């Protein structure tokens, strides 16, 4: 456990150290080159700012209105019929839309049911194996001002669904068979 | 996509809040979410500049050549049209590496940089190219080897084995990633056949 913590802490500094010292060794004027790259960063970030505001407001409204709880209540019975653990439903719904909200829900599931309970483990695996799909698509495509995203949402949501289902099945097989 | 989803999110939320008496929460959410967006942008601004600069250094050294050799088979399969040694190629490679190492803060800036480069070669500027689709899908797949955030939360909640989720996470990620790549290739194929 401590080793994994340590690795995750040193990863970023180590990458920077390796790149900068290699640059020095190859006699590159490292700071000039760094500045040249860093300048591009400003423009990229400014381009995605309006997207972030729009997206965050819409998701903030969605979360605070209580409509997500309502939808969860509506579809839970159907999913539970397919052996889908009821506690996981809100997490599966939120995961593609909001990273911070789904992390909060997952933490709550672990705290309420126990970290090492079946749903606790499933929630952990889902959080580790999936990403905030909608956010990623919105930010990446708006950074180049593209509106036509073809059918990428379908591909990503199917991947998310696969991730959720496999997480449930694999946890059952490995830990709770 | 967002031209449909965005108004739906907003309208159903506000109407539902009116009927369920949550309108005060909604009001607060408007303020706090714009603030969150500003905070995230400031974080991203620093990180994007830093990592764009670091990769600029890396692509002038042999490091990027080693990494290209290592990842070339994968990149060639996923991004057949991206030229090896070009700026887009270098950024895609660094984006994949950052994702695998779990450097989320570095992966997004590098991915966005790659998008900018891919857009230069995109023929229809208002539509995602095949390569852009693949890059986005890859970034929605959570490739990291060690899911550090979840492990940290599990530790803080007193789990007896915080790291036991690593193996199941690999399997789920692999399956989800496979579906993502397969679906993307399928969409590209179908659209090409239509022409």
């Amino acid at each position: 456990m401590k080793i994994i913590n340590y690795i995750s802490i040193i990863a970023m500094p180590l990458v920077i150290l390796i790149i900068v010292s290699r640059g020095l060794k190859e006699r590159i004027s490292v700071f000039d080159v760094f500045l040249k790259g860093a300048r591009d960063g400003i423009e990229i970030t400014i381009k995605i700012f309006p997207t972030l505001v729009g997206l965050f407001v819409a998701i903030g409204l969605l979360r605070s209105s209580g409509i997500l709880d309502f939808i969860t209540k509506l579809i839970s019975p159907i999913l539970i019929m397919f052996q889908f653990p009821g506690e996981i439903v809100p997490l599966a719904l939120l995961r593609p839309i909001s990273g911070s909200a789904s992390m909060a829900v997952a933490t709550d599931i672990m705290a309420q049911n126990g970290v090492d309970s079946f749903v606790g483990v499933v929630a952990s695996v889902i959080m580790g194996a999936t990403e905030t799909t909608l956010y990623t698509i919105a930010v990446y495509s708006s950074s180049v001002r593209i509106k036509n995203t073809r059918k990428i949402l379908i591909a990503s949501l199917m991947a998310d669904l696969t991730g959720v289902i496999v997480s449930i099945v694999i946890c059952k097989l490995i830990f709770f068979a | 996509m967002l031209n449909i989803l965005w108004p739906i999110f907003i309208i159903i939320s506000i109407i539902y809040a009116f009927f369920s008496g949550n309108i005060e929460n909604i009001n607060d959410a408007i303020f706090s979410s714009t603030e969150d967006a500003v905070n995230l942008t400031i974080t991203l601004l620093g990180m994007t500049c830093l990592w764009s600069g670091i990769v600029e250094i890396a692509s002038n050294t042999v490091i990027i050549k080693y990494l290209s050799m290592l990842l070339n088979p994968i990149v060639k399969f996923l991004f057949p049209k991206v030229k090896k040694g070009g700026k887009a190629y270098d950024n895609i490679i660094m984006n994949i590496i950052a994702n695998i190492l779990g450097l989320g803060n570095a992966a997004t800036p590098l991915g966005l940089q790659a998008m900018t480069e891919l857009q230069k070669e995109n023929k229809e500027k208002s539509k995602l190219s095949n390569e852009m689709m693949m890059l986005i899908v890859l970034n929605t797949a959570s490739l990291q080897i060690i899911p550090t955030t979840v492990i940290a939360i599990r530790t803080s909640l007193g789990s007896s084995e915080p790291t036991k989720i690593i193996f199941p996470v690999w399997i789920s990620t692999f399956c989800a990633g496979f579906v993502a790549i397969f679906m993307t290739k399928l969409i590209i194929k179908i659209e090409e056949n239509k022409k």
Side-chain angles (χ1 to χ4, degrees), chain A residues 8 12 26 28 33-34 36-38 49 54 56 62 64-65 70 103 115-116 124 128 131 140 144 148 150 159 167, chain B residues 6 13 16 22 29 33 41 49 51-53 56 60-62 128 130 139-140 142 148 154 157 159-160 172 191:
Chain A
S8 70
M12 207 176 312
E26 294 186 26
I28 294 164
V33 176
F34 171 80
K36 193 172 152 247
F49 176 63
F56 275 39
L62 212 55
S64 60
S65 66
F70 177 71
M103 195 49 97
V115 216
D116 296 318
S124 314
E131 266 291 334
Y140 273 64
V144 284
N148 185 347
R150 294 160 81 177
S167 299
Chain B
W6 193 70
S13 303
Y16 184 83
N22 266 339
S33 51
T41 308
C49 289
W51 285 100
S52 301
E56 190 75 38
N60 281 298
T61 67
V62 291
L128 291 179
N130 295 350
N139 276 280
T140 63
S142 182
T148 43
R154 291 176 56 76
L157 289 171
S159 166
S160 58
S172 302
E191 286 189 359

Side-chain angles (χ1 to χ4, degrees), chain A residues 4 28 60 62 73 76 79 81 100 104 106 121 141 159:
Chain A
I4 286 176
I28 294 164
L62 212 55
K73 263 185 215 142
S76 282
L79 290 173
M81 272 190 340
S100 56
V121 174
S141 38

Side-chain angles (χ1 to χ4, degrees), chain A residues 105-157:
Chain A
V105 171
T107 311
D108 192 54
I109 292 173
M110 289 182 238
Q112 298 294 327
N113 302 277
V115 216
D116 296 318
S117 67
F118 175 58
V119 281
V121 174
V122 171
S124 314
V125 175
I126 290 176
M127 288 311 291
T130 52
E131 266 291 334
T132 322
T133 303
L134 191 71
Y135 165 85
T136 310
I137 298 176
V139 167
Y140 273 64
S141 38
S142 72
S143 75
V144 284
R145 305 246 156 98
I146 285 182
K147 285 186 206 90
N148 185 347
T149 53
R150 294 160 81 177
K151 297 195 175 56
I152 196 168
L153 186 66
I154 299 173
S156 303
L157 286 182

Side-chain angles (χ1 to χ4, degrees), chain A residues 42-54:
Chain A
I42 304 172
E43 201 188 335
I44 294 173
T45 317
I46 289 171
K47 269 190 200 155
I48 63 167
F49 176 63
T51 313
L52 289 178
V53 174

Side-chain angles (χ1 to χ4, degrees), chain A residues 1 4-5 7-8 11-12 15-16 18-20 22-23 26 28 30-31 33-42 44-49 51-67 70-71 97 103 107 110-111 115-116 120-121 123-141 143-156 158-160 162-163 166-167 170-171 174-176, chain B residues 1-3 5-6 9-10 12-14 16-17 20 22 25-26 29-30 33-34 36-38 40-41 44-45 47-54 56-58 60-63 87 94-95 101 103 105 107-108 111-113 115-116 119 122 125-130 132-133 135-137 139-142 144 146-151 153-155 157-169 171-173 175-176 179-180 183-184 187-188 191:
Chain A
M1 182 55 225
I4 286 176
N5 247 338
I7 293 173
S8 70
M12 207 176 312
V15 171
I16 297 179
I18 292 171
I19 292 175
V20 173
R22 185 68 219 184
E26 294 186 26
I28 294 164
V30 269
F31 194 65
V33 176
F34 171 80
L35 288 183
K36 193 172 152 247
R39 263 180 217 119
D40 298 341
I42 304 172
I44 294 173
T45 317
I46 289 171
K47 269 190 200 155
I48 63 167
F49 176 63
T51 313
L52 289 178
V53 174
L55 209 59
F56 275 39
V57 169
I59 289 157
L61 293 175
L62 212 55
R63 282 178 68 187
S64 60
S65 66
I67 193 162
F70 177 71
I71 296 173
I97 324 176
M103 195 49 97
T107 311
M110 289 182 238
V115 216
D116 296 318
V121 174
S124 314
V125 175
I126 290 176
M127 288 311 291
T130 52
E131 266 291 334
T132 322
T133 303
L134 191 71
Y135 165 85
T136 310
I137 298 176
V139 167
Y140 273 64
S141 38
S143 75
V144 284
R145 305 246 156 98
I146 285 182
K147 285 186 206 90
N148 185 347
T149 53
R150 294 160 81 177
K151 297 195 175 56
I152 196 168
L153 186 66
I154 299 173
S156 303
M158 279 187 66
D160 282 341
T162 311
V166 172
S167 299
I170 201 83
C171 287
I174 299 182
F175 304 121
F176 297 90
Chain B
M1 170 190 85
L2 281 168
N3 279 327
L5 282 179
W6 193 70
F9 282 2
I10 290 181
I12 59 162
S13 303
I14 296 179
Y16 184 83
S20 64
N22 266 339
N25 292 347
I26 283 265
I30 294 172
S33 51
T34 46
D36 289 348
V38 173
L40 180 63
T41 308
L44 270 177
L45 180 62
M47 274 295 175
T48 310
C49 289
L50 173 68
W51 285 100
S52 301
I54 294 289
E56 190 75 38
I57 301 176
N60 281 298
T61 67
V62 291
I63 295 173
K87 260 191 154 182
M94 289 302 290
N95 171 262
L101 293 177
L103 310 176
N105 283 327
T108 310
L112 297 179
Q113 187 75 261
M115 286 296 282
T116 311
Q119 176 73 335
N122 189 5
K125 298 284 181 205
S126 61
K127 196 171 155 190
L128 291 179
S129 66
N130 295 350
M132 291 169 150
M133 276 177 83
L135 180 70
I136 296 177
V137 155
N139 276 280
T140 63
S142 182
Q144 64 173 327
I146 301 167
T148 43
T149 319
V150 193
I151 291 174
I153 291 177
R154 291 176 56 76
T155 313
L157 289 171
S159 166
S160 58
E161 271 177 287
T163 51
K164 77 169 176 185
I165 58 155
I166 293 181
F167 182 64
V169 164
I171 295 184
S172 302
T173 302
C175 295
V179 170
M183 285 299 296
T184 308
I187 291 169
I188 294 170
E191 286 189 359

Side-chain angles (χ1 to χ4, degrees), chain B residues 81-93:
Chain B
K81 278 188 192 143
V82 177
K83 258 184 250 126
K84 195 175 172 180
K87 260 191 154 182
Y89 188 95
D90 288 355
N91 277 301
I92 290 172
I93 285 198

